[in-house]
Amino acid sequence: MKKMIGQVADAMRNELVALSHRIHDNPELGLQEHRAVQWQSEVLRHHGFEVQTPYGGLDTAYRATFHGKSIGPRVAFLAEYDALPGVGHGCGHNVIAASSVGAGIALALVMDNVGGEVVVIGTPAEETIGGKIILAESGAFDDIDFALMVHPSTTNLVKRGGRAAVSINITYDGRGAHSAEPGDGINALTSLIAAFNGIDAVRQAWSLTERPTINGIITAGGNASNIICDHAAAEFTARADSRCFLKKMIGDVRRVADAGALITGAKLTFMTGLIFAERHPNHVIGDAFKANMESLGEKMNEPDPTMVTGSSDIGNVSLIVPTIHEYLWVAPEGTLEHTIEFCTAAASPRADNVVVLATKGLAMTGYDLLADADLRQQVQAEFVAAGLPDRG
Ligand SMILES: [Zn+2]
Ligand SMILES: [Zn+2]
């Protein structure tokens, strides 16, 4: 069966690479990925999938379904396809879309041998609002048994975690005045600077084992030094190893922001984005994927436990469904993601090979999960032992 999956993936190479390049050459920002959804839907429908879009409350999300010979577990491959402002596909999501569409089709073509369902879920706006967070909250993953995807990178890596993250916006509105008479005004920037200093004070008490970080930029800080600033704003990104600790950090920052308002009397507006949960990679599925990739000649590494990681909305999925989000290299080590260089690499001959390799590895792992009840039980046992789902 796995050999057949490999042959199917090789036969689809031109179609999948064309899909990857089409999305790459026409970058669309989060929630605007209408053409990317249309092109993926066309390919999936052509191969017998039913495609539902919009899905889960998002216009540029989709769900494509293919039924096996009987009722059984549902394996979902997750596609991302949003680009970045200024650098196009600098995160290589075109490779993710083509791989997950490819894996869905390759697995579907052997589904007359096994029970269950193959699903491809299109998850928009990973780079901005975290489309998977909204999909998760709308129940879009509730009937899924396993969620699998691959992200392009500079190294081959399985079973990597991810930290929780949130954006925090702090805005103060005061009253403008001539700087010759500052007492006539309410200086919003004074409150904001106090908030920055206050955050530096409270962060000293944050547990280092949670690896908390917070960084901010001032997005509004007045227009002229001879005018008392009537409006000041900042945006922060906070991260920690768990969403629970992140909630404590948000509480501390809120208290500091209130204190900043008290200093001048400026009016505070405090807003937080959706919380990107920490990632709980399923190691049993990760090991199966690793074995499949190594059978294809790709050496897969495992992360150093002290590795500092970024964040993704896949974390929220990993709380609900046993999940993998593995990495395959498309650019040499040292290449920075979210750059023009990474964007170029995402349509290179290696990236095109990765589309086919990931298609095979994901579909083979999906097949393992559908065909092997013992494996499914081990996956579920790990998921339950980790105290999941917890849903934050
Ligand atoms: Zn990405
Ligand atoms: Zn990215």
Side-chain angles (χ1 to χ4, degrees), residues 231-302:
H231 175 80
E235 183 175 319
F236 295 84
T237 295
R239 294 179 209 269
D241 278 353
S242 73
R243 67 204 175 288
C244 299
F245 195 79
L246 205 54
K247 286 175 186 166
K248 176 204 157 32
M249 291 162 65
I250 293 170
D252 287 353
V253 172
R254 172 69 208 228
R255 214 172 56 249
V256 161
D258 282 333
L262 282 175
I263 289 169
T264 62
K267 184 177 165 295
L268 166 70
T269 306
F270 187 90
M271 288 196 301
T272 57
L274 298 172
I275 292 184
F276 286 63
E278 72 279 12
R279 188 185 313 171
H280 299 269
N282 190 279
H283 290 208
V284 174
I285 309 180
D287 285 333
F289 179 79
K290 181 180 181 188
N292 285 319
M293 290 311 297
E294 293 194 338
S295 78
L296 299 167
E298 286 290 311
K299 166 107 181 70
M300 302 303 295
N301 305 304
E302 300 198 17

Side-chain angles (χ1 to χ4, degrees), residues 80 82 84 90-93 126-127 151 311 337-338:
E80 293 175 7
D82 58 324
L84 293 155
C91 207
H93 292 183
E126 188 276 334
E127 300 286 2
H151 196 295
S311 316
E337 291 180 16
H338 289 201

